[in-house]
Each structure stands twice: as C-alpha cells, then as structure tokens.
Amino acid sequence: MKHLISSATMFLCFSVLFASTLVQSNSIAQERGSFSGESPYHLSLTDENRELWGPGGMIWKETISNDDGNRIVSRSSSDGKVLVSRVFRDGLLREEQIGSNSHAYYYGEDGKLERVTSYQDGSFQEAQLFTYSASNGGLLAVVTVKGEASSIRYFNQEGKQHSFTYADTQGGQTFLTIQGSTVVKPFSSESEDTQLDVVVEETGSFTVERTLPDGSVVQERYDEQGLLVLKKNPSSETEYRYNEENELVSEHTIRNDGSEVVSSYEKGEIAMVEEKEAGRTTSILHFLDDGKRVQTLYSEGRPYCDITYAPGGKRILSISYR
C-alpha cells in the first residue's frame, strides 16, 4: 500500500515537470528510459493528461483535475469508458474506483494508513485495519475482516510476516484483540459467541487464545518467525521444536492422563513416533525410506514384539516376538 501511494505521488510530480513530452513505452505504459530501437507504443504526457498510443491508435487516456482540494486522476479507455478513478488529498490516496469495486482509505494523524474499506456495487466486502509498533513505527499487524472468513497478518522486527486465519460459517461473533484494540465481526447466529484474543509482543512473537462455544480454551503460541511452538487444549499440551532452517524436528505431546507422544521429523518428513505411559515407553513406530513401517511394542519398558507394515500402514507384513 505504501508503494502504491508513493508511486501515485511520484506520478503527480512527474506530470508537472513535463509540460508536453512524448516518450516510448512498453505495452503496460512503463517508461523505459534510455534505450535503442523502436517501439510501437508511445506515452504522450502533458500537464493534465497522458495518453498511451499503440499500433491501432490510443489505448487509454489519463486525466488529472482538481476539485475542492482533491486531485482526481481518471483513466479511460479509447471509447471514453472510465476504467480507474483515484482521489488524492494532501498527497495521499483517499478513494479508488475500479469498475464495480471501490475502496476508501483512512489515515492517522501521523499519515500512516489505518484502514481500507472495500465495496462492490455499493455493498460492503471487507475492511483492513493496520497497526504499527510503538517502538519503531514499523507495520505490526494487518487485520482483514470479511463476511465469512477473516485473517490476521503479523510482521516481526525484520519485516517477515506470518498469519493467523480463522473462519466461522455457522455464525456468531468473533473478537480480535491486538495491542489493546478490539475489532468485532458480527454475523447472524444460533450458536454461542466465540472469543478470540491475540496478544502480540514487540519482538513479533504472539499468542492466540480461542474460547470455543462450549467454554473450553485453545491456546497457541508462536515465535517471532511465526512458528508454532506450543499448543494447549483441554485434553493435552504439545511443544514443537525446530532446527536452524526452521524445519520441524519434533513434537512432544503430554495428555491429561499422563501419557506422552513424541514425534521426530527428518527433512520435513516424520521419522519416528514414540508413545509413553507413566514415563515408560509402550510403543515406537519407525517410518522407513521404502514406505514401510516397523512398530516395536514394549511391556514394562522392555521391547517384546516387532510389527512390520506395508507402505500405507494398513497391511501387516510380519509379526515377530522377542
């Protein structure tokens, strides 16, 4: 969005500098600068207009006008049909109309984009809300609110982003809490409300806590890279570990009854699953390179049986006892 606004501002300045200029352009009207050779496309620039011409004549025309402090930039096809219309005020894009789609842009006192509301044929489609870091002013989160599904994108201090997306087609009311601000998305429902709270740290790490209709809570913690590191639900807790390349290497789940499941991964593929009860191993399942699986069963912590499964794990090839 910042690039869009910057580009629009640069274009307005550019059109003022060149009172009447003819430059060669490619088919999407990008100025090529210094080059040799001929092009069938030419961009004609004046103070208030610019036109793209091709082998068959004018392709489109862009006009600039001023109205009550607003700068209006409209692009029309060769037959006069308006394709895109943009309204700028104080150097910032405020409104945009593209066919039946329209967008309204809102900014804070510091000039940063705070909200974009989109409509189609006059009906609301979605709203995007932007929050920024209090320490460095960088973009921290983008919340997109739609009718049936919404999403949150987070950016850490290095600018890398990660997302959390939720959807509820049954209806209800979802709450998003980011940096103390709450966004409410209501829709008709017969079910109970579902609450979703998101706590974002300045480092980019964050915690998502979902309160389900039955009152139970699911909590997910993500690190600054957007990697899930811990998940808690009413019946279990799972810890996730990664290597330096951010590849998952293990999952460790502890259930409420005390049983455990440890899964190991190699190069993104599951390699072994170990199950424990009361701290003792009860089963180890190995995944072989040829697709076969070998499960070793334990009794009182000691192995006593090996079961070999065919690729896919549904057919037993052999059973051997120790």
Side-chain angles (χ1 to χ4, degrees):
M1 188 60 63
K2 291 181 180 178
H3 294 302
L4 173 63
I5 296 172
S6 299
S7 300
T9 305
M10 291 175 63
F11 158 66
L12 295 177
C13 297
F14 183 77
S15 62
V16 173
L17 290 174
F18 293 86
S20 180
T21 309
L22 188 68
V23 298
Q24 287 193 340
S25 170
N26 62 18
S27 61
I28 58 174
Q30 293 175 329
E31 291 82 345
R32 289 181 171 181
S34 301
F35 67 98
S36 59
E38 296 295 328
S39 170
Y41 297 94
H42 293 82
L43 189 64
S44 175
L45 303 177
T46 65
D47 286 340
E48 297 181 351
N49 303 311
R50 72 175 184 171
E51 300 172 353
L52 177 65
W53 292 78
M58 189 179 72
I59 299 174
W60 54 251
K61 179 180 181 179
E62 200 164 72
T63 60
I64 301 174
S65 60
N66 293 281
D67 180 23
D68 194 25
N70 295 325
R71 193 173 182 86
I72 303 172
V73 181
S74 299
R75 177 177 294 187
S76 304
S77 59
S78 58
D79 60 2
K81 180 181 179 180
V82 177
L83 303 175
V84 181
S85 178
R86 296 185 176 95
V87 178
F88 297 85
R89 187 168 61 254
D90 299 327
L92 298 175
L93 178 63
R94 304 290 179 162
E95 299 176 21
E96 183 178 45
Q97 182 79 39
I98 304 175
S100 62
N101 297 316
S102 61
H103 310 279
Y105 300 83
Y106 303 88
Y107 303 84
E109 294 181 356
D110 55 2
K112 291 182 178 180
L113 184 65
E114 288 188 345
R115 176 163 58 94
V116 178
T117 306
S118 301
Y119 303 86
Q120 185 173 29
D121 294 324
S123 298
F124 172 82
Q125 293 297 303
E126 69 175 40
Q128 288 184 297
L129 299 100
F130 303 81
T131 59
Y132 301 87
S133 170
S135 59
N136 59 24
L139 181 63
L140 184 64
V142 180
V143 177
T144 302
V145 181
K146 296 184 179 181
E148 293 185 351
S150 300
S151 64
I152 313 170
R153 285 184 294 156
Y154 299 97
F155 303 82
N156 62 16
Q157 291 180 338
E158 288 72 36
K160 297 179 181 179
Q161 67 166 308
H162 40 87
S163 304
F164 177 79
T165 303
Y166 70 92
D168 189 342
T169 58
Q170 300 300 316
Q173 194 172 60
T174 300
F175 299 83
L176 310 178
T177 303
I178 297 181
Q179 294 291 315
S181 300
T182 301
V183 180
V184 180
K185 177 182 72 100
F187 40 96
S188 61
S189 168
E190 294 180 357
S191 62
E192 299 178 19
D193 291 351
T194 298
Q195 179 169 319
L196 182 146
D197 295 309
V198 182
V199 179
V200 185
E201 305 296 337
E202 285 291 336
T203 59
S205 61
F206 64 99
T207 301
V208 175
E209 189 170 283
R210 298 172 62 92
T211 304
L212 304 181
D214 62 1
S216 60
V217 176
V218 176
Q219 185 184 79
E220 297 176 340
R221 295 181 186 174
Y222 296 80
D223 67 8
E224 63 277 3
Q225 301 297 321
L227 301 174
L228 177 64
V229 294
L230 183 67
K231 182 174 182 178
K232 296 181 179 180
N233 59 49
S235 61
S236 65
E237 177 178 316
T238 302
E239 181 180 358
Y240 303 83
R241 295 177 181 266
Y242 304 84
N243 59 19
E244 295 180 353
E245 287 73 37
N246 290 337
E247 295 176 332
L248 181 64
V249 295
S250 69
E251 296 178 11
H252 185 187
T253 299
I254 301 177
R255 302 189 181 102
N256 290 349
D257 60 6
S259 62
E260 301 176 55
V261 178
V262 180
S263 301
S264 300
Y265 295 80
E266 295 180 0
K267 298 180 180 180
E269 300 289 338
I270 190 166
M272 184 188 73
V273 176
E274 180 180 5
E275 298 185 16
K276 297 181 179 180
E277 290 185 6
R280 286 186 172 184
T281 300
T282 58
S283 170
I284 294 181
L285 180 63
H286 290 275
F287 294 78
L288 307 182
D289 294 337
D290 59 3
K292 296 179 182 178
R293 305 177 187 180
V294 177
Q295 182 180 25
T296 301
L297 302 180
Y298 289 73
S299 177
E300 296 183 354
R302 297 180 180 180
Y304 72 90
C305 177
D306 295 312
I307 305 173
T308 302
Y309 297 88
K314 294 183 179 181
R315 185 164 61 93
I316 296 177
L317 297 179
S318 65
I319 300 176
S320 62
Y321 293 90
R322 302 190 182 188

